[in-house]
Amino acid sequence: MITFHEVNKFYGNFQVLTGINLHVKPGEVVVVLGPSGSGKSTMLRCINRLEETSSGQLTVNGVRVDDRKTDLNKLRRNIGMVFQHFNLYPHKKVIDNITLAPIKALGVSKSEAHQTAMHYLEKVGIADKAQSYPSQLSGGQQQRVAIARGLAMKPQIMLFDEPTSALDPEMVGEVLDVMKTLAREGMTMVVVTHEMGFAREVADRVVFMDQGKIIEEAPPEQFFSAP
Ligand code: ADP
Ligand code: ADP
């Protein structure tokens, strides 16, 4: 579903990704671990071309992401993304944060978008907050809105970039629980996180990066076992 083949990326003279090879199968949950600055976020952001690769091939669902001619809107419709900072529109109610993209990008009717949004708000456990503004919600609740917003586009892939790193510790669990449910339901997920428990419990595969390279790739039971 996602294939990196010998992908390199430079910022000027600085090589941030070196020879990345990675294959993510449908329904797989890949957790990316590694020290700060090792290129995890950059690798993730290449998948929906928030960052451009410098060389190599990157394919999502058979479509070349590294091809300049690829329709970005079409590509991104299939890929939901959840960031560390929730990136909700502060001046819009929770429900409108979620319906905006389906209405604008997919041309879904208002009533259908509303119905879909409520479905996903229920799924992440905060349907009662539909009429609130983001600032009236806790960080954990805001992040669950962000997940619902991603899901409302009915993507085939969800990308998570340190989704719990900006949360107070007591809110981390509620966000990870939603992610665990998605994983169990067969969503294809790539997750950059420092949550080892999540990696151990939910990942099909753990990828460890250092200095722009994948230096280890293994199922969690193997990754976390003593050498
Ligand atoms: P991680 O997610 O593992 O913390 P990043 O992918 O965010 O790592 O960053 C990898 C490296 O690339 C870091 O050294 C970072 O400072 C650098 N970097 C990230 N974005 C840019 C940019 N836009 N321009 C230059 N350097 C960048
Ligand atoms: P977050 O913590 O929300 O992931 P970051 O601090 O990693 O955000 O990066 C914020 C933005 O700054 C990103 O767009 C990233 O590409 C850019 N960035 C990160 N490191 C550098 C750098 N060394 N030089 C230029 N831009 C950078």
Side-chain angles (χ1 to χ4, degrees):
M1 187 153 249
I2 306 170
T3 304
F4 285 78
H5 179 74
E6 290 297 324
V7 168
N8 298 299
K9 175 169 177 63
F10 292 84
Y11 287 118
N13 289 326
F14 175 68
Q15 185 158 13
V16 59
L17 296 176
T18 303
I20 299 293
N21 288 297
L22 181 68
H23 184 66
V24 182
K25 295 191 272 278
E28 229 185 351
V29 177
V30 172
V31 170
V32 184
L33 304 176
S36 180
S38 58
K40 305 182 297 295
S41 179
T42 302
M43 184 174 80
L44 195 72
R45 292 161 68 90
C46 285
I47 296 170
N48 60 358
R49 221 163 93 189
L50 290 177
E51 301 281 356
E52 289 195 357
T53 57
S54 304
S55 63
Q57 288 100 51
L58 174 53
T59 312
V60 174
N61 267 337
V63 175
R64 283 284 291 267
V65 177
D66 53 291
D67 185 343
R68 299 275 142 90
K69 293 191 288 279
T70 292
D71 181 344
L72 276 189
N73 291 329
K74 216 160 129 190
L75 173 79
R76 288 177 185 161
R77 253 174 239 167
N78 247 330
I79 308 175
M81 180 140 180
V82 175
F83 300 88
Q84 178 175 354
H85 302 286
F86 327 123
N87 297 3
L88 299 173
Y89 299 111
H91 57 289
K92 286 192 187 297
K93 288 178 181 172
V94 163
I95 183 82
D96 299 325
N97 262 279
I98 298 173
T99 56
L100 193 71
I103 292 170
K104 291 245 156 115
L106 300 184
V108 168
S109 74
K110 271 189 185 169
S111 67
E112 191 189 334
H114 190 277
Q115 227 177 352
T116 304
M118 288 310 297
H119 169 77
Y120 287 111
L121 280 174
E122 268 159 38
K123 188 176 172 79
V124 302
I126 42 171
D128 57 324
K129 301 292 182 192
Q131 298 300 324
S132 302
Y133 286 90
S135 61
Q136 296 171 304
L137 272 55
S138 72
Q141 290 170 332
Q142 289 186 59
Q143 193 60 303
R144 286 186 283 152
V145 174
I147 294 172
R149 181 179 55 181
L151 293 174
M153 294 290 282
K154 303 189 175 159
Q156 290 178 293
I157 298 166
M158 286 288 285
L159 306 177
F160 294 85
D161 192 357
E162 299 202 24
T164 59
S165 297
L167 298 177
D168 291 334
E170 68 269 24
M171 291 163 194
V172 170
E174 65 193 41
V175 171
L176 293 180
D177 283 345
V178 170
M179 293 167 62
K180 275 180 209 168
T181 304
L182 287 181
R184 235 180 279 125
E185 290 173 353
M187 178 65 79
T188 307
M189 294 165 57
V190 184
V191 183
V192 172
T193 186
H194 296 287
E195 295 290 334
M196 298 298 161
F198 180 85
R200 199 186 289 266
E201 200 185 322
V202 184
D204 294 304
R205 217 139 36 91
V206 176
V207 167
F208 188 83
M209 291 185 73
D210 196 17
Q211 296 184 21
K213 293 184 184 145
I214 293 177
I215 59 169
E216 195 181 347
E217 194 183 331
E221 54 279 12
Q222 193 179 324
F223 184 86
F224 290 108
S225 70

